[in-house]
Amino acid sequence: DVKVTQSSRYLVKRTGEKVFLECVQDMDHENMFWYRQDPGLGLRLIYFSYDVKMKEKGDIPEGYSVSREKKERFSLILESASTNQTSMYLCASSTGTVAEAFFGQGTRLTVV
Amino acid sequence: GENVEQHPSTLSVQEGDSAVIKCTYSDSASNYFPWYKQELGKRPQLIIDIRSNVGEKKDQRIAVTLNKTAKHFSLHITETQPEDSAVYFCAATSYGQNFVFGPGTRLSVLP
């Protein structure tokens, strides 16, 4: 079974803090994604990566950055957390051949 | 980039009735169209998918249709059951990259 693991299930951070969300997949997938999920807004793509050190902006990249130094790990960085970044964050991975996206369990981030 | 719209946002049906959810996409390069089901507090899970070289696919009570010309695809659930109640997301992607989801449909199956 494909496993996509996010480092934290729940996080509480203060406004202005630098926040790291980590995601690891164990199936050698080329593509990895970060989404945020808010009620009524669905899954909005923040960034994705199709290879090590490669990244592409999604629909809502402002206030976020990403890092992919190893194929299995994709990190989402909030440079200076703000209250409007309080949300559920979901990581996913896929291969170009199969294309199905597998999701992590999600990280509920609260910025106070 | 890709844009995916989804309707309706909420859908209530009586148990045993059919449910239909419709999506449109904008990027003609998209070639893979999955549907995900998300139950409360859980991660989205793939329930069915269709590729651009196929017009229809069925898996038991679930079917998906694709009209590439009109850039429409739809999810059909027949004989709905209470356990079908969830949020459903459609998505479009080209070779697994730039995976864009619709805003979701909350389906309620009433007993």
Side-chain angles (χ1 to χ4, degrees):
Chain A
D1 274 357
V2 174
K3 192 172 271 188
V4 181
T5 304
Q6 295 181 227
S7 53
S8 303
R9 194 72 195 266
Y10 300 94
L11 271 180
V12 180
K13 296 292 182 180
R14 294 194 179 277
T15 302
E17 274 194 80
K18 190 168 186 176
V19 181
F20 293 85
L21 303 183
E22 306 286 346
C23 177
V24 177
Q25 49 93 5
D26 66 357
M27 283 300 290
D28 203 37
H29 284 173
E30 299 90 10
N31 306 317
M32 295 189 75
F33 310 85
W34 276 107
Y35 296 89
R36 66 176 281 176
Q37 185 172 24
D38 302 288
L41 297 177
L43 296 158
R44 292 183 293 167
L45 183 62
I46 304 171
Y47 270 97
F48 72 97
S49 168
Y50 54 89
D51 201 352
V52 174
K53 296 192 186 295
M54 305 303 289
K55 61 184 179 184
E56 293 282 347
K57 292 180 180 179
D59 297 324
I60 52 164
E62 296 78 19
Y64 304 95
S65 62
V66 291
S67 172
R68 193 161 180 207
E69 297 296 318
K70 294 185 177 181
K71 191 174 186 179
E72 67 271 18
R73 186 180 298 269
F74 193 35
S75 303
L76 180 70
I77 304 155
L78 287 65
E79 297 289 342
S80 177
S82 63
T83 54
N84 63 11
Q85 292 177 310
T86 292
S87 187
M88 171 68 81
Y89 290 87
L90 285 160
C91 173
S93 71
S94 76
T95 70
T97 48
V98 174
E100 175 185 354
F102 295 87
F103 283 87
Q105 77 276 28
T107 297
R108 184 164 294 282
L109 173 67
T110 302
V111 182
V112 298
Chain B
E2 178 63 276
N3 181 51
V4 178
E5 297 185 356
Q6 183 173 348
H7 299 280
S9 56
T10 60
L11 179 60
S12 293
V13 299
Q14 291 294 133
E15 184 176 355
D17 286 351
S18 295
V20 179
I21 303 170
K22 298 183 178 182
C23 289
T24 61
Y25 64 100
S26 61
D27 188 351
S28 56
S30 291
N31 63 350
Y32 177 69
F33 307 92
W35 287 87
Y36 284 78
K37 176 183 181 182
Q38 188 178 29
E39 296 174 331
L40 192 62
K42 296 189 177 180
R43 71 191 79 187
Q45 300 271 10
L46 180 75
I47 55 171
I48 196 167
D49 55 17
I50 192 166
R51 299 182 191 277
S52 58
N53 58 348
V54 175
E56 185 172 355
K57 183 177 178 181
K58 190 173 182 181
D59 183 5
Q60 299 183 348
R61 296 187 297 109
I62 298 172
V64 59
T65 58
L66 172 64
N67 182 329
K68 278 181 59 180
T69 303
K71 298 196 183 81
H72 289 174
F73 58 114
S74 300
L75 177 71
H76 304 252
I77 306 173
T78 59
E79 301 171 23
T80 53
Q81 300 167 4
E83 52 265 37
D84 294 330
S85 295
V87 179
Y88 291 81
F89 294 98
C90 61
T93 179
S94 176
Y95 297 102
Q97 298 185 7
N98 196 22
F99 225 108
V100 178
F101 285 80
T105 296
R106 183 173 298 279
L107 174 64
S108 300
V109 180
L110 308 173

